């Protein structure tokens, strides 16, 4: 493997080797080996967080006396990890004005992070209590600090609107495919908005606490749907902060997510993170699809790309602390529980369900499937029992109260139907079990039944497998639980909505041969013990560190923001300026509408000048020292409509037509140029337009453009591939007299005459400007701004060969590459009248630099084979351009050969307004 020298990342204190592999996979493999070596070295060390030894996801009331000694131990120097979640891993109970007691609180995240030793962790979150007084807040903060917890204080109104409202009433049901709440009042929209405002405010409060405790090099790990806005808040405060976000629930299909009123804001807030994690690939795919379909961003195998910035999106299946469960089975208390249960259920098979009493857990479906099994298998009656542990949640919500009544009714009916005086088929408990009792119950179970209708992961299945190394029971697992993608090979996967299928699977599990049970259990047991919570956390943070490293490398390749102050200062100091401006997405009015993908199609199809540019353009055009050229792919009619009133030059269809607004249009096309291909290809473009809803074709005089920006993203890309394949294998390849270029944009396909680019046209445009203006002073300032296709970016590099290598940072390779371009590109425009062709006196003034004539240069530029050399010979000494006076700037494209970038047309407008304002001030 090849290695390169790199600097160690700040805060990455475990990365001691300065030689870093060149690929992300190589770096992560090396980190994996480092972790294995570290584990072997510290295998005999005692755990450092035994304060959580007895904590468990479904705890009873007897866990209050837990020791926190492990949290108080001094730790070795390690990377700090700020874990930010809605709730702290402890619950606070007030005992006096300045006295608090802390108890372990149940939660999947707490269980998942048990045993993680690789980082120095700090927890930030809400303590679950309202503390309005300063004395109480100070006392609680001090008490929590000893446990490495940092509180966020939320008042009752914020909790009601943010947590009970937006989180639990809107996001949670939506992410579990239950849809948005249907409210029978006109204030629905207002209610959504007020809850969303509270949600953003709460997220900002979390961010404020993080910012207070953040140190350079820390990793900030945000968790779950409660804190989707947090990455944006943190990055706004410090763009260099390492931020990861992980979702513990499913992420729904884009068709579901798009119903959310605040859909776009939430997606963009999450995309501010460096790494976005999900339990399964399906959830990650849904998130990328939502960003593509709702925001119009580019989805890649790596994640989501926006303006050159890549947010990495990946799947990180969570695990459990399997050693904790395996070790618990050896505890005397657990052994006694196991013995009691074996005696209690002697001679019968035990089936187990452990769930929160929640709509998504599929408890009614599970019980009905068990009823159908008993109906169809009378020989199993009185030989099998279902133990259903249903932990009550949100008991004050009417929907949950209704679910509880429904479950009780079904259980009572089945027990009445199939029970006897001595036995009942279903034992239903509306309460939680303590950790030891739960482990014992897992150990004696023959079949575990997990029938979630929709579940982010479901760690009950992992816990069951961890406790089954002796009995090797069978796991029946819903295919809609995230765990199905991890344990699917060893489990029996079912559709919980198909009662008949689940009943049949119960029969298969109870009758399964011992050999098959052992094979299935062995596969699942290896996965559960290898993919632990510690591995999950360490993998996520390692990939986050590496993602930030790659991002830093990518940022170095992105041109810097246009230095507005320098550009204006050099503009004012120059005596003859040339401004070359694009039109579409550069000078056009904004068409993007918040919450929609890409804006409004009708407005974009009819290009209009930005309404705030009228005064700046008028001022700049009236300056005799400034020449403005609008160089666009649009047709002459569009440019006339938008710029006819200004004193400037217009170059339509990539420079194929040219005119001063005070004169007539001239053509730059060669006399022999064959344009008959337009008619032969037009029907192809029309065919694909008809087949692709919301696509459109723009038929110009010298080119055809098919735009599918507003079509369905996946279908549009598929149609574009079909069109390209057809063009290259059909009309273009079959016609020997057709010389065209096929130019592919991000969501467009253009066919134009070969060699037609904006860079190829600029020399002829300059030649005509020189003739008409009788320039007596060399051009000493050039500003070129546009949102151009990659093929047209030769306009940015057109002036570069004549510039010395300076501090701007243009790579030498770029300069030398461009210097090989044929000088024929610099031949002036072939003039329509003989009288103009001889007017050259002004272009031979003495200047600091000269360039050989066009006929003396050679190269392989695409333009050279498609144009007849101009009979005119022009020295390129009309330019007296120094490096600091040349500003090439790409708008909205970070992969560019321009020196600088601007994000949008709004920034272009702001710059031109400031430039016009500065130029109008008397010197």
């Amino acid at each position: 493997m090849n290695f390169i020298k790199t600097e160690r990342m700040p805060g990455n204190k475990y990365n001691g080797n300065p030689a870093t592999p060149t690929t992300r996979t190589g770096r992560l493999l090396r980190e994996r080996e480092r972790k294995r070596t570290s584990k072997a070295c510290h295998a005999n060390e005692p755990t450092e967080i035994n304060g959580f030894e007895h904590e468990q996801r479904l705890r009873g009331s007897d866990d209050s006396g837990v020791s926190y000694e492990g949290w108080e131990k001094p730790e070795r120097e390690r990377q700090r990890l700020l874990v930010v979640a809605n709730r702290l891993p402890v619950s606070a109970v007030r005992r006096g004005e300045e006295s608090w007691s802390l108890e372990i609180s149940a939660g999947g995240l707490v269980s998942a992070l048990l045993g993680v030793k690789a980082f120095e962790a700090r927890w930030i979150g809400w303590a679950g209590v309202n503390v309005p007084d300063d004395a109480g807040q100070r006392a609680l903060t001090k008490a929590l600090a000893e446990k490495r917890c940092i509180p966020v204080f939320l008042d009752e109104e914020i909790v009601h609107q943010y947590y009970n409202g937006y989180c639990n009433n809107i996001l949670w049901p939506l992410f579990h495919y239950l849809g948005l709440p249907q409210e029978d009042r006109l204030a629905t929209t207002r209610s959504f908005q007020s809850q969303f405002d509270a949600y953003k405010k709460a997220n900002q409060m979390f961010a404020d606490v993080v910012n207070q405790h953040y140190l350079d090099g820390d990793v900030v790990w945000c968790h779950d749907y409660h804190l989707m806005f947090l990455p944006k808040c943190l990055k706004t405060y410090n763009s260099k902060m390492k931020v990861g976000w992980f979702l513990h629930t499913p992420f729904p299909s884009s068709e579901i997510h798009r119903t959310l009123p605040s859909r776009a804001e939430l997606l963009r807030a999450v995309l501010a993170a460096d790494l976005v994690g999900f339990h399964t690939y399906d959830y990650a795919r849904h998130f990328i699809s939502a960003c593509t379909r709702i925001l119009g961003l580019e989805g890649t195998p790596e994640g989501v790309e926006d303006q050159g910035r890549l947010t990495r999106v990946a799947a990180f299946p969570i695990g459990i602390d399997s050693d904790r469960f395996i070790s618990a089975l050896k505890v005397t208390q657990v052994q006694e529980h196991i013995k009691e249960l074996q005696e209690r259920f002697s001679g019968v098979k035990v089936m187990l369900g452990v769930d929160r009493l929640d709509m998504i857990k599929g408890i009614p479906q599970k019980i009905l499937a068990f009823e159908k099994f008993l109906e169809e298998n009378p020989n199993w009656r009185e030989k099998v029992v279902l133990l259903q542990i249903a932990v009550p949640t949100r008991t004050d919500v009417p929907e949950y109260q209704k679910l509880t009544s429904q479950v009780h009714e079904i259980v009572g009916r089945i027990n009445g139907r199939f029970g006897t005086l001595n036995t009942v088929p279903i034992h239903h408990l509306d309460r939680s079990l303590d950790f030891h009792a739960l482990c014992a119950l897992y150990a004696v179970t023959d079949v575990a039944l997990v029938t979630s209708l929709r579940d982010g992961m479901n760690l009950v299945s992992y816990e069951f497998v961890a406790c089954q190394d002796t009995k090797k029971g069978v796991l029946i697992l819903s295919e809609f639980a995230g765990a199905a993608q991890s344990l699917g090979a060893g489990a029996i996967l079912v559709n919980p909505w198909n009662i008949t299928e689940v009943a049949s699977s119960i029969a298969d599990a109870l009758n399964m041969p011992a050999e098959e049970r052992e094979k299935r259990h062995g596969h699942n047991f290896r996965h559960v013990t290898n993919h632990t919570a510690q591995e999950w956390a360490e993998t996520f943070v390692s990939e986050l560190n590496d993602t930030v490293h790659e991002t830093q490398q990518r940022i170095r390749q992105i041109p810097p923001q246009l230095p507005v102050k320098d550009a204006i200062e050099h503009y004012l100091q120059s005596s003859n300026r040339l401004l070359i401006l694009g039109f579409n997405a550069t000078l056009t009015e904004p068409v993007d509408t918040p919450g929609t993908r890409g804006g409004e199609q009708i407005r974009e199809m009819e290009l209009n000048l930005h309404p705030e540019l009228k005064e700046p353009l008028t001022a700049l055009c009236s300056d005799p020292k400034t020449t403005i050229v609008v160089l666009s792919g649009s047709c002459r009619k569009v440019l006339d409509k938008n710029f006819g009133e200004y004193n400037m030059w217009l170059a339509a269809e990539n420079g194929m037509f040219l005119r001063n607004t005070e004169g007539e249009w001239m053509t730059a096309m060669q006399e022999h140029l064959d344009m008959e291909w337009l008619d032969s290809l037009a029907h192809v473009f029309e065919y694909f337009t008809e087949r692709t809803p919301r696509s459109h074709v723009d038929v110009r005089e010298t080119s055809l453009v098919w735009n599918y920006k507003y079509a369905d993203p996946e279908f549009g890309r598929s149609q574009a591939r079909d069109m390209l394949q057809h063009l290259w294998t059909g009309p273009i390849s079959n016609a020997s007299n057709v010389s065209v270029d096929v130019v592919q944009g991000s969501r467009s396909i253009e066919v134009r005459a070969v060699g037609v680019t904006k860079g190829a046209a600029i020399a002829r445009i300059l030649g005509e400007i020189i003739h008409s203006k009788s320039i007596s002073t060399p051009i000493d300032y050039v500003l070129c701004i546009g949102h151009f296709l990659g093929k047209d970016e030769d306009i940015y590099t057109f002036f570069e060969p004549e510039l010395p290598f300076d501090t701007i940072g243009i790579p030498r390779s770029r300069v030398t590459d461009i210097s090989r371009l044929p000088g024929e590109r610099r031949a002036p425009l072939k003039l329509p009248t003989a009288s103009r062709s001889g007017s050259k006196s002004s272009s031979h003034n003495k200047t600091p630099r000269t360039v050989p004539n066009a006929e003396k240069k050679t190269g392989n530029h695409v333009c050279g084979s498609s144009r007849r050399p101009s009979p005119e010979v022009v020295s390129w000494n009309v330019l007296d351009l120094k490096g600091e006076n040349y500003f090439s700037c790409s708008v909205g494209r970070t992969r560019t050969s321009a020196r600088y970038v601007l994000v949008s047309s709004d920034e272009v407008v702001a710059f031109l307004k400031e430039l016009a304002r500065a130029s109008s001030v008397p010197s």
Side-chain angles (χ1 to χ4, degrees):
M1 183 179 293
N2 295 324
F3 293 86
I4 60 173
K5 293 280 187 177
T6 62
E7 293 184 3
R8 190 168 56 182
M9 287 180 290
N12 195 354
K13 299 172 183 177
Y14 54 80
N15 184 6
N17 188 351
T20 304
T22 57
T23 65
R24 183 178 70 252
T25 302
R27 291 189 293 271
L28 294 175
L29 285 173
R30 191 189 70 166
E31 179 64 16
R32 181 171 177 263
E33 291 302 313
R34 185 207 63 78
K35 288 191 295 183
R36 285 188 172 184
T37 304
S38 177
K39 285 180 181 178
C41 294
H42 302 294
N44 297 323
E45 292 186 6
T47 179
E48 296 189 10
I49 42 178
N50 55 13
F52 279 131
E53 182 178 354
H54 300 293
E55 190 281 332
Q56 33 85 30
R57 295 177 62 257
L58 300 170
R59 66 166 185 84
S61 60
D62 57 346
D63 282 332
S64 56
V66 175
S67 168
Y68 285 85
E69 295 176 0
W71 282 32
E72 300 170 13
K73 290 180 60 177
E75 299 199 22
R76 295 179 299 274
E77 187 178 9
R78 294 167 296 175
Q79 185 174 28
R80 286 212 331 168
L81 175 64
L82 301 183
V83 179
V84 191
N86 175 62
R87 288 293 300 271
L88 289 172
V90 294
S91 293
V93 178
R94 195 163 192 171
R95 301 301 185 188
E97 184 177 349
E98 296 186 5
S99 175
W100 294 85
S101 65
L102 304 178
E103 297 180 355
I104 298 299
S105 57
L109 179 58
V110 181
S111 297
L113 290 177
L114 286 175
V116 176
K117 308 172 187 177
F119 317 106
E120 181 187 340
R122 297 286 189 276
W123 288 72
I124 298 176
W126 177 48
V129 291
N130 181 34
V131 190
D133 59 300
D134 293 339
Q137 291 186 6
R138 286 194 301 268
L140 180 57
T141 301
K142 182 178 179 180
L144 289 171
E146 297 177 1
K147 319 307 176 189
R148 304 196 177 187
C149 291
I150 303 167
V152 177
F153 295 104
L154 305 176
D155 60 51
E156 290 184 350
E157 179 61 23
I158 286 289
V159 170
H160 174 68
Q161 293 273 9
Y162 145 73
Y163 180 68
N164 298 326
Y166 199 77
C167 292
N168 289 341
N169 195 43
I170 296 177
L171 289 182
W172 191 91
L174 187 76
F175 283 10
H176 289 86
Y177 290 79
L178 299 178
L180 294 173
Q182 301 295 321
E183 302 184 43
D184 298 327
R185 59 178 186 269
L186 297 177
T188 300
T189 304
R190 180 180 178 184
S191 175
F192 278 163
Q193 188 59 46
S194 65
Q195 292 179 9
F196 185 54
D197 290 341
Y199 181 84
K200 291 191 289 185
K201 182 178 179 181
N203 275 244
Q204 185 60 55
M205 294 170 71
F206 276 85
D208 293 340
V209 175
V210 173
N211 295 336
Q212 292 171 11
H213 294 85
Y214 174 80
L215 302 177
D216 288 343
D218 286 355
V219 168
V220 183
W221 193 359
C222 312
H223 287 272
D224 230 353
Y225 58 93
H226 312 89
L227 302 176
M228 294 181 74
F229 235 82
L230 185 56
K232 179 180 179 181
C233 298
L234 295 175
K235 286 289 189 175
T236 301
Y237 174 78
N238 183 351
S239 62
K240 295 182 180 180
M241 190 181 293
K242 296 179 183 178
V243 179
W245 181 79
F246 191 89
L247 182 65
H248 292 266
T249 69
F251 191 89
S253 161
S254 60
E255 291 301 305
I256 299 294
H257 184 76
R258 71 191 304 177
T259 62
L260 187 65
S262 52
R263 56 193 186 179
E265 283 187 82
L266 284 179
L267 289 176
R268 290 200 177 276
V270 171
L271 288 175
D274 298 293
L275 177 62
V276 175
F278 299 91
H279 283 309
T280 72
Y281 172 74
D282 282 347
Y283 306 157
R285 177 171 53 84
H286 290 162
F287 177 79
I288 294 175
S289 176
C291 293
T292 301
R293 295 174 180 274
I294 296 173
L295 301 180
L297 302 179
E298 192 68 27
T300 71
E302 295 294 314
V304 179
E305 187 171 350
D306 182 16
Q307 301 293 338
R309 182 186 183 276
L310 178 68
T311 298
R312 181 156 148 68
V313 180
F316 301 91
I318 198 172
I320 62 171
D321 185 0
S322 56
D323 289 340
R324 177 167 165 262
F325 285 87
I326 295 171
S327 300
L329 297 178
K330 303 174 185 178
V331 176
T332 303
Q333 184 180 352
V334 176
Q335 290 290 329
E336 293 175 354
H337 275 303
I338 292 176
K339 187 177 180 180
E340 292 173 3
L341 291 170
Q342 288 174 340
E343 293 175 356
R344 172 69 178 82
F345 298 109
S346 176
V348 299
K349 294 287 187 179
V350 178
M351 297 179 58
L352 176 65
V354 180
D355 306 278
R356 285 184 296 105
L357 191 54
D358 201 302
M359 278 82 72
I360 67 165
K361 295 300 182 178
I363 296 177
Q365 288 81 0
K366 178 190 304 184
I367 299 173
L368 290 173
F370 184 62
E371 179 185 28
K372 188 168 185 62
F373 164 76
L374 294 177
E375 287 177 355
E376 297 178 348
N377 298 272
N379 57 308
W380 275 103
R381 298 173 188 174
E382 299 185 28
K383 294 181 181 180
V384 62
V385 61
L386 172 62
L387 308 181
Q388 177 61 52
I389 311 300
V391 182
T393 57
R394 304 182 69 184
T395 54
D396 57 333
V397 178
E399 290 82 0
Y400 286 78
Q401 295 171 355
K402 182 179 179 181
L403 175 65
T404 303
S405 300
Q406 180 187 14
V407 170
H408 289 173
E409 179 183 342
I410 298 174
V411 170
R413 177 172 56 79
I414 296 174
N415 282 341
R417 180 181 178 187
F418 296 104
T420 66
L421 292 176
N422 298 321
T423 63
V424 291
I426 300 178
H427 292 246
H428 182 86
L429 298 181
D430 280 331
R431 65 181 182 86
S432 60
L433 295 181
D434 66 70
F435 177 64
H436 290 155
L438 186 63
C439 289
L441 197 54
Y442 282 142
V444 301
T445 297
D446 295 283
V447 178
L449 198 52
V450 178
T451 57
S452 305
L453 305 180
R454 191 72 61 173
D455 224 343
M457 195 65 181
N458 194 294
L459 296 179
V460 166
S461 55
Y462 278 63
E463 295 170 359
F464 166 74
V465 170
C467 295
Q468 279 284 313
D469 197 36
T470 300
K471 194 154 193 177
K472 297 176 174 53
V474 182
L475 173 64
I476 298 177
L477 181 59
S478 166
E479 63 187 54
F480 298 113
Q485 294 197 13
S486 303
L487 305 180
I492 299 177
L493 297 184
V494 295
N495 177 1
W497 296 98
N498 189 338
I499 303 300
T500 302
E501 179 189 355
V502 178
S504 176
S505 297
I506 293 175
D508 292 341
L510 291 173
N511 294 303
M512 185 177 292
E515 183 180 357
E516 183 179 351
R517 290 205 315 269
E518 187 169 349
K519 287 181 179 179
R520 286 177 176 269
H521 170 75
H523 182 280
N524 285 345
F525 189 78
R526 284 190 297 273
H527 181 90
V528 169
T529 53
N530 289 331
H531 298 81
T532 62
Q534 181 177 353
E535 289 288 339
W536 166 74
E538 291 179 353
T539 299
F540 185 91
V541 178
S542 294
E543 294 223 15
L544 175 55
N545 278 319
D546 195 78
T547 298
V548 172
H549 172 77
E550 279 200 343
T551 300
Q552 291 169 348
Q553 296 297 110
R554 190 180 295 110
I555 289 175
R556 293 190 186 104
Q557 301 171 4
I558 297 176
Q561 191 85 354
L562 176 69
V564 173
K565 183 178 179 181
D566 290 346
I568 294 176
E569 180 180 344
H570 289 283
Y571 175 90
L572 297 176
Q573 293 173 356
S574 57
S575 57
N576 192 3
R577 311 126 178 175
L578 175 64
L579 274 57
I580 304 170
L581 307 176
F583 179 39
N584 190 11
T586 304
L587 304 179
T588 51
E589 63 180 344
V591 297
D592 288 347
T593 302
T596 62
R597 176 168 55 87
E600 296 185 10
Q601 183 175 1
I602 298 300
R603 292 174 59 194
E604 184 166 330
M605 290 172 63
E606 185 176 354
L607 298 176
N608 291 304
L609 182 67
H610 198 291
E612 297 182 21
L613 276 177
K614 184 170 184 178
E615 291 185 9
L617 282 182
T618 301
L620 293 172
C621 290
S622 62
D623 188 342
K625 295 182 180 180
T626 301
T627 301
I628 296 181
V629 179
V630 173
L631 178 54
S632 171
S634 300
C635 65
R636 294 184 280 181
K637 181 180 179 181
V638 171
L639 296 188
D640 280 339
K641 184 189 76 169
N642 286 281
F643 300 100
E645 61 184 281
Y646 303 101
N647 180 22
M648 60 170 59
W649 287 84
L650 304 179
E653 303 204 17
N654 301 305
M656 296 296 280
F657 300 98
L658 176 69
R659 85 171 179 106
N660 185 288
T661 49
E662 297 179 352
E664 300 296 325
W665 283 102
M666 298 174 288
T667 179
M669 290 189 292
Q670 287 77 11
E671 298 174 0
H672 68 280
L673 189 60
D674 182 10
M675 299 300 294
E676 293 183 0
W677 55 267
L678 275 171
D679 294 331
S680 63
L681 294 182
H683 75 280
V684 176
F685 279 63
E686 292 170 358
Y687 169 76
F688 279 92
T689 302
E690 293 171 358
R691 288 183 58 195
T692 313
R694 295 197 69 182
S695 69
H696 65 276
V697 61
D698 185 4
V699 181
R700 302 168 181 170
E701 295 180 69
T702 61
S703 64
L704 293 168
V705 181
W706 182 64
N707 189 302
Y708 58 95
K709 175 180 179 180
Y710 293 94
D712 178 271
E714 294 180 10
F715 184 61
R717 282 193 292 266
S718 174
Q719 292 292 83
R721 286 193 296 268
D722 288 350
M723 175 185 280
L724 289 171
Q725 183 178 7
H726 177 75
L727 290 175
W728 286 118
T729 60
I732 292 180
S733 62
N734 295 336
S736 57
N737 61 333
V738 175
S739 297
V740 297
D741 278 335
V742 178
V743 183
Q744 188 172 8
S746 60
R747 291 184 178 87
S748 67
I749 294 176
E750 179 178 359
V751 178
R752 60 172 78 156
V754 68
V756 175
T757 67
K758 291 179 172 65
I762 192 63
R764 292 177 291 182
I765 295 171
L766 285 175
E768 185 61 38
I769 292 174
I770 292 168
H771 295 320
S772 63
K773 294 190 70 172
S774 299
I775 291 179
S776 57
T777 304
I779 296 174
D780 58 355
Y781 179 94
V782 175
L783 171 69
C784 181
I785 301 180
H787 176 84
F788 300 135
L789 295 174
K791 190 173 185 63
D792 289 322
E793 285 208 341
D794 54 355
I795 190 173
Y796 296 137
T797 58
F798 178 82
F799 299 95
E800 295 287 2
E802 308 307 323
L803 300 179
F805 188 79
D806 55 29
T807 57
I808 297 294
I810 302 299
R812 175 65 62 183
S813 60
R814 180 184 298 175
V815 178
T816 55
D817 288 345
I818 297 169
S819 67
R820 292 197 299 267
L821 295 179
E824 205 276 320
R825 181 185 69 172
R826 294 181 172 174
L829 180 69
K830 185 176 181 181
L831 303 179
T833 61
S835 60
R836 287 187 176 179
S837 62
S839 179
K840 279 290 183 290
S841 58
S842 62
S843 65
H844 291 280
N845 293 324
K846 184 177 179 180
T847 57
R849 289 185 285 118
T850 61
V851 177
N853 292 338
E855 287 75 12
K856 295 181 182 180
K857 290 190 177 181
T858 60
N860 58 357
H861 192 266
V862 71
C863 303
S865 62
S866 65
R867 295 201 310 273
R868 181 188 307 167
S870 171
E872 304 166 85
V873 178
V874 180
S875 279
W876 198 250
N877 56 4
V878 72
L879 284 176
D880 182 14
L881 190 58
K882 298 179 181 179
E884 61 268 21
N885 278 2
Y886 177 48
F887 296 86
S888 58
C889 180
S890 176
V891 181
R893 290 172 57 96
T894 53
R895 294 178 180 176
T896 176
S897 56
R899 292 185 169 199
Y900 307 104
V901 293
L902 288 175
V903 174
S904 66
S905 61
D906 287 334
E907 291 191 359
V908 177
V909 171
F911 167 65
L912 292 179
K913 290 169 71 173
E914 192 169 345
L915 183 65
R917 192 181 306 112
S919 63
S920 63
V921 177
S923 56

